[in-house]
Every structure is written in C-alpha cells, then in structure tokens.
Amino acid sequence: MIKVKHLVIGLGLSLLLSGCNSKEDVKENTEISAESEIQALETLLKEKKYEDLLVKMETLHLPESETDKMKATVGTKFVDQLIKEKNTEFLGSRYNRMRLIVSRDNWSKMEKFVGQGEKIKLDEMEQAVRSNDFQKIKEMYENEKLLKEDDEFSAMYNYALYLQTDQNSYKASGALALAVDPNYEGRMRDEIVAGVTNTSYKNPLTFGPITMDDWKYIESEYRENLANMERIAIGEKERKERIESARGKNPTLGMTYDEVKASLWGEPVDVNRTVTQYGTHEQWVYGNGQYLYFDDGVLTSFQD
C-alpha cells in the first residue's frame, strides 16, 4: 500500500512538473515568436516598405501583452519616422487603419501632426485664392489628393473656378451654388455667398439672381438627383448580376425577360401577348410542349 501511495505521489509530482515545464515552454516560444515578428517589422520599417509594414501589423496574431509591446516599440518608431519625413500623404490616406495598430499616445501624436499639415495646406490654398494665383491653385488641387474631400479645400477651389469665369452671370453663380453647400461655414464663406447671390447681372429678361432660398432649393434638388442616380446605378448593377446568375440554369419563377433569355431556355420560338386593364400577360412558346407565362414582365408559371 505504501509503495502504491509513493507511486501515485511520484506520478502526480511528475505530471505537475511536466505541466510547469509545458507552460514555460509555451511562454518561451511565444516570446521568441514575438521577438521574431518585431524584428521582421523593424526590417520593413528600415526599408521604408510602409504598406507592407502596415498590413503585417494588421494581421499579427499575438497575445494581448505582446501586441501592446509591439505597439509600444514598432508602432512608436513607425509614427515617429513618418512624422520626421513629413509623410502626410501616407498618414492621411491610412488614417483609420493606423489608428488600429498604434497606441493611444502615438495616435494623438499622429492626429496632431496630420491636423497641422492640413491647416498649413488650407492656409496656402486660401492665400492662393485671395491673390488669384490660379496656377498654384491648380497644382494644389492636382497634388493634394487627401484634401479633395475637405469641405474648405473644395469650397475654396470651386470659388477659384468661379473667379476665372464671367462672374456676372447666372451660369457662374449657379455653378458655384451647385458646388458648395449653402450651410457651409468655413473659410471665405462671405466671398462665396457674395458670388452665389451676385445681383450685378439682374435683368428682367434673364434668370437670377440667386437668393439664399434658391441656393437651398438647388442643393436639395442636387442631393435628390444624386440619390436617384445612385439608386439607378445600384439597380442596374443588381439587374446585371441576376442575369449573369441565370446563365447555365433552367428558368425559375420570379425571373425577368432578360434573365430567362440568359438561361438555358434562351429566346422563345414565338410570343403570344395579351394586354388588359389588369396588365400585360405573355406566353413564350418553345416547342415540345414547353411554355413560359409572364405577368407584367415576371415569370409566374410554366409548362414543360
């Protein structure tokens, strides 16, 4: 009995020690793996392969503690190097992605740098517009891709376009009204409002001038038309996808004319159409006792 007891205790101690060793091995392997990953990241940073570095940092699978270590080391070096290079293009275009792979302190540092860079560029744009330096404006618009989505940058650019046209016309004021939101409150708002509501061309025989109410109406109509065009584009995309999906298949209920034509049955031999006050009914004849029946362009029944 004593021998058995000693044997059990011995086995227990052996398993316990084995478990401890196993945990230590896992910890050691994790640390080695993390160090290896960090070295690989730092190599990409040294080679300035920034997009590859960002992708690798986004796809790392490390324990939380090792991820925090990576953010504190490589993340800090990454942000500092981009700031030192004044690489606003990379930081700005990957703004949201960078936010996920750097620490809060580095994010704040990056945010401040990008904001300062944008302010400098907006100052340059405003100065160019006020001095009618249209070549500078053109170059900035072509090169400052990140700022094209900025409301102030866009408004000032469109005001510069207005300045280069016959300003005393409904066409010029209308184009500016279409380009700038009437609720815009940024740089050069007063000048832009004056351009849109210019009354110098007032004439009983011509359109205009544009009032603030007109401007708001133009904006609402533009937004509505834009939304309609987007809906039409989405509908057309979905229609083409359904047609492609029908290829190589037999017709199914709910298909449209074009979807059936794209299916294995293809074009009918003959079509019999009946039009009533309730709609249009069509029978598509394929021969060999095969018929398809449509109600208002939608397949509702068939015979085969």
Side-chain angles (χ1 to χ4, degrees), residues 106-226:
N106 283 321
W107 167 252
S108 298
K109 186 172 22 176
M110 190 181 86
E111 193 173 34
K112 181 179 179 181
F113 171 75
V114 171
Q116 289 173 340
E118 288 181 353
K119 182 181 181 303
I120 291 171
K121 293 300 181 183
L122 290 172
D123 288 343
E124 287 182 22
M125 173 61 94
E126 183 175 356
Q127 179 59 36
V129 175
R130 291 192 182 280
S131 60
N132 292 339
D133 188 349
F134 299 124
Q135 181 59 36
K136 172 74 171 177
I137 294 165
K138 181 174 181 290
E139 290 173 358
M140 288 191 69
Y141 187 76
E142 291 175 349
N143 298 326
E144 301 299 332
K145 298 177 182 178
L146 300 178
L147 284 174
K148 285 187 179 181
E149 300 300 320
D150 183 271
D151 289 342
E152 289 188 306
F153 189 84
S154 176
M156 289 190 289
Y157 174 74
N158 282 288
Y159 180 62
L161 294 181
Y162 165 80
L163 293 176
Q164 296 175 76
T165 64
D166 176 11
Q167 299 164 33
N168 302 319
S169 69
Y170 177 81
K171 182 179 180 181
S173 293
L176 185 58
L178 274 173
V180 182
D181 191 310
N183 297 312
Y184 172 73
E185 294 290 345
R187 297 168 185 245
M188 303 190 72
R189 172 174 167 76
D190 291 344
E191 291 84 349
I192 292 169
V193 170
V196 172
T197 59
N198 180 10
T199 60
S200 65
Y201 60 92
K202 186 176 181 180
N203 187 313
L205 301 178
T206 62
F207 289 109
I210 298 172
T211 66
M212 286 300 298
D213 286 339
D214 293 334
W215 191 3
K216 291 176 182 178
Y217 175 76
I218 290 170
E219 173 70 14
S220 66
E221 286 290 296
Y222 170 73
R223 295 295 175 193
E224 185 176 343
N225 289 336
L226 188 63

Side-chain angles (χ1 to χ4, degrees), residues 17 29 39 43 54 57 76 109 127 132 153 160 177 250 266:
L17 291 171
N29 289 335
Q39 287 176 7
T43 297
L54 181 55
M57 291 179 77
T76 299
K109 186 172 22 176
Q127 179 59 36
N132 292 339
F153 189 84
N250 284 315

Side-chain angles (χ1 to χ4, degrees), residues 271-288:
V271 175
N272 299 311
R273 180 180 293 107
T274 303
V275 180
T276 69
Q277 61 179 328
Y278 303 108
T280 301
H281 177 77
E282 289 190 10
Q283 178 196 54
W284 284 18
V285 181
Y286 285 88
N288 298 322

Side-chain angles (χ1 to χ4, degrees), residues 13-166:
L13 287 171
S14 177
L15 289 171
L16 181 61
L17 291 171
S18 176
C20 290
N21 290 334
S22 178
K23 289 179 180 178
E24 288 176 359
D25 289 343
V26 169
K27 181 180 179 182
E28 184 178 347
N29 289 335
T30 300
E31 290 176 350
I32 292 172
S33 175
E35 287 298 327
S36 175
E37 292 285 10
I38 288 174
Q39 287 176 7
L41 293 171
E42 289 183 338
T43 297
L44 291 173
L45 180 61
K46 185 177 181 181
E47 296 173 352
K48 297 187 177 183
K49 295 180 178 179
Y50 297 145
E51 179 61 26
D52 293 342
L53 173 57
L54 181 55
V55 170
K56 190 167 182 61
M57 291 179 77
E58 288 173 327
T59 55
L60 284 177
H61 297 290
L62 294 173
E64 186 175 350
S65 60
E66 297 300 330
T67 299
D68 291 341
K69 181 180 177 182
M70 178 271 294
K71 288 182 178 181
T73 54
V74 180
T76 299
K77 292 178 182 178
F78 193 9
V79 172
D80 287 347
Q81 184 162 311
L82 290 170
I83 291 175
K84 184 178 180 181
E85 294 176 356
K86 297 182 179 180
N87 197 335
T88 53
E89 181 177 351
F90 187 89
L91 284 170
S93 61
R94 279 83 167 178
Y95 203 65
N96 292 324
R97 291 171 63 194
M98 289 289 291
R99 186 174 188 172
L100 299 175
I101 57 93
V102 300
S103 66
R104 183 176 298 178
D105 289 343
N106 283 321
W107 167 252
S108 298
K109 186 172 22 176
M110 190 181 86
E111 193 173 34
K112 181 179 179 181
F113 171 75
V114 171
Q116 289 173 340
E118 288 181 353
K119 182 181 181 303
I120 291 171
K121 293 300 181 183
L122 290 172
D123 288 343
E124 287 182 22
M125 173 61 94
E126 183 175 356
Q127 179 59 36
V129 175
R130 291 192 182 280
S131 60
N132 292 339
D133 188 349
F134 299 124
Q135 181 59 36
K136 172 74 171 177
I137 294 165
K138 181 174 181 290
E139 290 173 358
M140 288 191 69
Y141 187 76
E142 291 175 349
N143 298 326
E144 301 299 332
K145 298 177 182 178
L146 300 178
L147 284 174
K148 285 187 179 181
E149 300 300 320
D150 183 271
D151 289 342
E152 289 188 306
F153 189 84
S154 176
M156 289 190 289
Y157 174 74
N158 282 288
Y159 180 62
L161 294 181
Y162 165 80
L163 293 176
Q164 296 175 76
T165 64
D166 176 11

